[in-house]
Amino acid sequence: MPDSALMAELGRELRRGRMSAGHTQAELADLIRIDRSEVSRAENGKRNLTDTNLKAWCDACRMDYARMAGIARGARGSFPDWFEGWRDDVEAVSARLSYWACVIMPPVIRTEGYIGAVLGAGGTRPAESQVAAQLARASVLDRAEVVTVVHEMALRRFVGSSMIMAEQLDHLASVAEMPSVHVHVVPNCETVPGMSGAISLAHDLGVVHMDGIRGRTTSDPDVFRDAAILFDRIRGHALPRGQSRNMVMEVANQWKT
């Protein structure tokens, strides 16, 4: 989750800079070509600006961009600016979500230990705020209909330690018992499409997020349709819920031994 204190500080600084420059919210929005509501949300600490819009704001208000960018990075937590549209405007409000993960666990079902191992893969220990930001995404499980399809490879891929993997798969098996969550596993014996990267879909909103070096979130109806068809094809290769949970528990026991 974003750092609320830094978000509030960023908002105060942005408002102070705008007012010092003599701009109203509407004038600044027109000047840097963003919606006025974005100006209001940024100043109220409700939304972090993209790097491009923050630079335009600082230029228009004669503010120190380097300093403001530092505050913005701290406020953002563990998520880059290009991901915030999916996290804040889609995943946080959607009532019907689907996730496909072929290499590592889907973010919404990761344990704290697993998150720490993934974020720390480069050798730098993640901050507590970064881990908390990832954990917060699991809140969708309590309010939305969620379908998660995981490749068996993700169950067997070593992340962190054997203990972390065992705890992660025990958690996945527990999540699979929730009535609103459907967990399916694609066994290694199946050749499936979609192995090039993870995808996340908000079916009720018609939005898809595709992983990559810089992930892409789009509501383009043609792209969403193609992604939804791909997800259904992948799910068609997966085991039913009961068999999937049995496989998860079987692999969890293997990690324990």
Side-chain angles (χ1 to χ4, degrees), residues 171-190:
H171 175 65
L172 179 58
S174 177
V175 167
E177 294 184 305
M178 299 174 68
S180 61
V181 180
H182 303 254
V183 174
H184 299 276
V185 177
V186 175
N188 278 333
C189 61
E190 293 284 341

Side-chain angles (χ1 to χ4, degrees), residues 2 13 16 18 47 50 64 79 82 99 126 129 135 147 151 156 166 168 171 175 180 182 215 219 234 243 249:
E13 291 292 328
R16 186 179 297 116
R18 173 184 61 78
R47 178 66 179 273
T50 65
D64 183 346
F79 298 104
W82 50 260
Y99 300 90
S129 61
L135 282 172
V147 176
H151 198 280
R156 299 187 181 279
Q168 173 61 63
H171 175 65
V175 167
S180 61
H182 303 254
S219 58
I234 295 169
Q243 293 180 34
M249 292 189 295

Side-chain angles (χ1 to χ4, degrees), residues 21 27 31 35 41 48 55 60 75 81 92 125 128 133-134 136 148 153-154 158 162 166 172 181 190 211 240 243 247:
E27 289 171 346
L31 192 61
D35 192 90
R41 292 179 68 189
N48 210 325
K55 180 65 165 58
D81 62 306
R125 184 175 180 176
E128 291 183 6
Q134 295 279 345
T148 294
M153 180 167 54
F158 182 88
S162 296
L172 179 58
V181 180
E190 293 284 341
D211 278 0
Q243 293 180 34
M247 176 178 280

Side-chain angles (χ1 to χ4, degrees), residues 96-152:
R96 186 177 169 225
L97 293 155
S98 292
Y99 300 90
W100 157 240
C102 51
V103 179
I104 58 176
M105 292 291 123
V108 298
I109 56 173
R110 294 177 187 172
T111 62
E112 183 175 352
Y114 192 92
I115 291 170
V118 170
L119 294 180
T124 302
R125 184 175 180 176
E128 291 183 6
S129 61
Q130 291 180 300
V131 176
Q134 295 279 345
L135 282 172
R137 294 182 63 189
S139 63
V140 302
L141 302 175
D142 296 321
R143 59 161 188 76
E145 190 77 14
V146 177
V147 176
T148 294
V149 180
V150 183
H151 198 280
E152 183 182 347

